[in-house]
Amino acid sequence: MRRGYHSTQRKYFNTMPRSAFLGLVLGYAIGLFLTGLFDLDSYILQFVGIIIGIAIGYWIDDKYFAEKDVPVEEIEEAIEKVEKADEMDDGLSE
């Protein structure tokens, strides 16, 4: 993830975004299917599928689910503006 951004997706195992986890599962499934299709005895296609799936999942997370972090100062300014607007509304209603 780029510095100053965060993911809006749910995290699996508190580390992996949802798209990367689904890439892991789908990559393993495709590798398992290809291993059976070609009647191989090694696990190399599963590992390759997992690596490709996770890479694609992280790319999707970075491209579509990254959201820029908001500075604390900007949040405090917005809270102050809302409080001032509430005070003005209270003054008008009296």
Side-chain angles (χ1 to χ4, degrees):
M1 185 62 53
R2 295 173 287 179
R3 175 172 240 142
Y5 286 83
H6 66 277
S7 177
T8 58
Q9 290 191 73
R10 179 179 168 202
K11 302 273 188 207
Y12 286 99
F13 310 114
N14 285 334
T15 57
M16 184 180 288
R18 185 174 147 241
S19 61
F21 181 76
L22 294 176
L24 180 142
V25 172
L26 188 59
Y28 178 74
I30 291 172
L32 194 63
F33 174 76
L34 292 176
T35 300
L37 183 68
F38 296 125
D39 196 25
L40 300 174
D41 289 334
S42 69
Y43 299 107
I44 191 72
L45 289 178
Q46 285 100 324
F47 291 128
V48 170
I50 287 171
I51 291 169
I52 291 171
I54 289 174
I56 291 172
Y58 273 108
W59 177 78
I60 289 171
D61 180 54
D62 191 46
K63 182 152 177 84
Y64 297 107
F65 295 101
E67 189 173 273
K68 189 158 180 61
D69 294 337
V70 178
V72 174
E73 296 82 22
E74 191 174 315
I75 294 171
E76 290 172 350
E77 289 175 8
I79 290 172
E80 289 174 6
K81 287 180 183 178
V82 168
E83 288 174 350
K84 286 180 184 178
D86 286 343
E87 289 174 5
M88 292 180 72
D89 288 342
D90 290 340
L92 292 175
S93 62
E94 291 177 352

